[in-house]
């Protein structure tokens, strides 16, 4: 038995039901505990490197584990040179493709509605790790305007004494803007928590579906999600701190969203158990979805793959594409992010390769 197999056997020693709950505990508890050691003003560049590593792991899991399993099923451990005939069911593949689109579309709807409810103020959802950087930029943009206004008022005051009344009138509007801004940040924080809760539910569904698919797929998905959750939780934590949460309150809020992961796992277990009962009752018949042999539980893996694709490509990568304008700094940051992403992908390749060779 390889070292990898021993490690997975130690971490996930039970049935699919037990292992999916254990995996959910791992991906929920440990990343949140790490927040205690994270400074609230974590460097954006360092966080982006972690995010790049996580993106490589997520995409590696999608293309090397989830999608191959969804379309091909568990690999056959046949011996000798026996001939294996593969029958392609186009209708089944269409349904699996729709499942992938469903996962991507679900996250698109969630992302879009979060922006609508937040007044269209940008990436205020659960994957906005560059949010703090953007806000700093906004504040820097506002400050020079305020200085210009005050300079112009001073010039006018020298010319006309009664202009003082006009300058006093401008102060309440500025304070109202500050209140509006503070209210917007608070709203974005709670919307961020709601998006995080929903995202964690999908992670929980992924844990259940993966372990019911096979122990190997479950273990690799758990690894990918775990490494994604670390920068994800740190990014959300930074947003909450910026929104006025205390460190203790921000950590408690993040722990609360972890309930979503366990809820998703329980829902996934119920779906998988009922799907297995259906398969047992109609083992030799094609009484599945639209005449195929697919059960609804079989669509959870493609749905998860679609969700992970959206998270990685639409939710995170666009933020990694942002630059500061300093060529030397951006070049160094880009090379570091490329390397981190390839390391994350390589981890998934190594796990998949050893699994196939086992």
């Amino acid at each position: 038995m390889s070292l990898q197999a021993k490690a997975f056997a130690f971490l996930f020693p039970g049935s699919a039901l037990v292992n999916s709950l254990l995996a959910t505990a791992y991906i929920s508890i440990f990343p949140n505990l790490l927040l205690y050691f994270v400074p609230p003003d974590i460097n954006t560049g360092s966080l982006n490197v972690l995010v790049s590593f996580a993106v490589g792991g997520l995409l590696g899991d999608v293309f090397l584990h989830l999608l191959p399993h969804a379309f091909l099923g568990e690999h056959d451990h046949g011996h000798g040179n026996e001939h294996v005939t593969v029958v392609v069911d186009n209708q089944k593949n269409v349904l699996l493709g729709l499942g992938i689109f469903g996962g991507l579309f679900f996250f698109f709807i969630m992302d879009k509605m979060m922006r609508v409810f937040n007044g269209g103020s940008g990436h205020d959802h659960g994957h906005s790790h560059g949010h703090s950087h953007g806000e700093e930029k906004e504040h820097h943009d506002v400050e020079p305007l305020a200085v210009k206004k005050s300079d112009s008022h001073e010039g006018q005051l020298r010319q006309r004494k009664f202009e003082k009344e006009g300058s006093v009138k401008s102060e309440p509007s500025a304070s109202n803007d500050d209140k509006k801004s503070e209210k917007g940040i608070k709203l974005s924080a709670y919307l961020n928590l709601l998006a995080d809760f929903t995202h964690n539910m999908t992670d929980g569904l992924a844990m259940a579906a993966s372990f019911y698919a096979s122990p190997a797929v479950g273990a690799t998905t758990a690894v990918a999600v775990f490494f994604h959750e670390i920068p994800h939780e740190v990014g959300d934590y930074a947003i909450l701190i910026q929104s006025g949460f205390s460190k203790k309150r921000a950590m408690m809020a993040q722990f609360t969203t972890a309930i979503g992961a366990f809820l998703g796992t329980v829902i996934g277990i119920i779906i998988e158990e009922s799907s297995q009962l259906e398969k047992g009752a109609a083992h030799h018949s094609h009484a599945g979805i639209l005449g195929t042999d697919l059960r609804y539980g079989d669509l959870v893996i493609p749905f998860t793959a679609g969700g992970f694709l959206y998270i990685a490509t639409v939710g995170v990568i666009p933020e990694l594409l942002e630059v500061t304008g300093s060529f030397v700094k951006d070049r160094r940051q880009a090379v570091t992010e490329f390397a981190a992403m390839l390391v994350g992908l390589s981890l998934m390749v190594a796990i998949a390769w050893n699994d196939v060779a086992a």
Side-chain angles (χ1 to χ4, degrees):
M1 186 182 286
S2 65
L3 182 63
Q4 175 184 306
K6 287 179 181 177
F8 286 163
F10 175 76
L11 291 171
F12 309 110
S15 63
L17 188 152
V18 172
N19 288 343
S20 56
L21 289 171
L22 276 174
T24 305
Y26 296 150
I27 66 169
S28 301
I29 295 172
F30 291 110
N32 278 291
L33 288 176
L34 288 175
L35 294 179
Y36 182 79
F37 304 99
V38 174
D41 55 344
I42 186 171
N43 179 269
T44 306
S46 301
L47 187 58
N48 280 351
V49 172
L50 283 173
V51 171
S52 299
F53 174 78
V55 167
L58 273 184
L59 291 179
D61 188 41
V62 168
F63 292 117
L64 302 175
H65 300 113
L66 298 180
L67 291 183
H69 182 89
F71 285 100
L72 301 176
E74 191 67 12
H75 57 268
D76 185 21
H77 293 281
H79 301 285
N81 296 320
E82 60 188 71
H83 183 68
V84 179
T85 303
V86 179
V87 179
V88 177
D89 187 341
N90 286 327
Q91 292 180 333
K92 179 179 176 180
N93 287 341
V94 168
L95 290 175
L96 291 171
L98 285 174
I100 296 168
F101 175 77
L104 192 147
F105 191 55
F106 171 79
F107 270 90
F108 169 65
I109 292 173
M110 186 182 74
D111 192 355
K112 184 71 174 181
M113 294 313 296
M114 289 298 160
R115 294 170 192 243
V116 169
F117 287 127
N118 197 39
S121 60
H123 294 67
D124 288 316
H125 60 294
H127 313 290
S128 302
H129 306 293
H131 183 88
S132 58
H133 180 69
E135 280 198 354
E136 283 174 14
K137 209 188 279 186
E138 283 179 11
H139 288 311
H140 287 311
D141 291 342
V142 170
E143 282 174 12
L145 291 173
V147 172
K148 284 179 184 176
K149 279 185 180 178
S150 62
D151 288 344
S152 64
H153 279 306
E154 283 177 11
Q156 290 171 0
L157 281 169
R158 288 186 191 128
Q159 292 176 7
R160 290 193 278 179
K161 292 180 183 178
F162 57 83
E163 192 70 20
K164 186 177 182 182
E165 188 180 345
S167 67
V168 171
K169 285 181 183 177
S170 67
E171 285 178 7
S173 64
S175 63
N176 286 337
D177 288 341
D178 290 340
K179 285 179 182 177
K180 274 185 184 178
S181 174
E182 187 180 345
K183 188 177 179 182
I185 292 171
K186 283 288 184 183
L187 176 61
S188 71
Y190 290 116
L191 287 173
N192 187 75
L193 287 173
L194 178 60
D196 195 20
F197 184 90
T198 311
H199 163 75
N200 286 343
M201 277 189 67
T202 307
D203 286 344
L205 281 169
M207 291 302 98
S210 301
F211 277 103
Y212 274 89
S214 81
V217 174
T220 51
T221 300
V223 170
V225 173
F226 178 82
F227 284 117
H228 167 65
E229 279 303 300
I230 293 173
H232 173 76
E233 295 297 335
V234 171
D236 289 341
Y237 173 70
I239 291 172
L240 294 178
I241 293 292
Q242 279 194 337
S243 300
F245 280 62
S246 66
K247 186 172 181 177
K248 182 179 178 181
R249 190 181 170 200
M251 286 186 67
M252 289 303 297
Q254 290 299 96
F255 267 112
T256 303
T257 60
I259 296 172
F262 285 98
L263 182 61
T265 304
V266 171
I267 293 172
I269 288 170
I270 292 171
I271 292 172
E272 295 294 338
E273 290 286 345
S274 61
S275 181
Q276 286 191 355
L277 286 174
E278 286 177 19
K279 281 183 179 178
H283 185 68
H284 297 291
S285 68
H286 287 275
I289 304 170
L290 299 178
T292 66
D293 61 350
L294 277 179
R295 300 293 186 271
Y296 287 105
D298 297 326
L299 294 178
V300 179
I301 286 280
F303 180 89
T304 301
F308 283 179
L309 278 173
Y310 185 91
I311 290 169
T313 58
V314 180
V316 179
I317 287 180
E319 292 168 8
L320 295 177
L321 291 173
E322 293 179 3
V323 294
T324 63
S326 170
F327 177 75
V328 176
K329 183 180 178 182
D330 288 336
R331 182 182 61 184
R332 185 170 57 246
Q333 180 69 24
V335 171
T336 309
E337 288 175 8
F338 296 156
M341 191 176 295
L342 290 175
V343 169
L345 177 64
S346 299
L347 177 67
M348 290 294 109
V349 170
I351 292 174
W353 193 268
N354 289 330
D355 174 52
V356 171

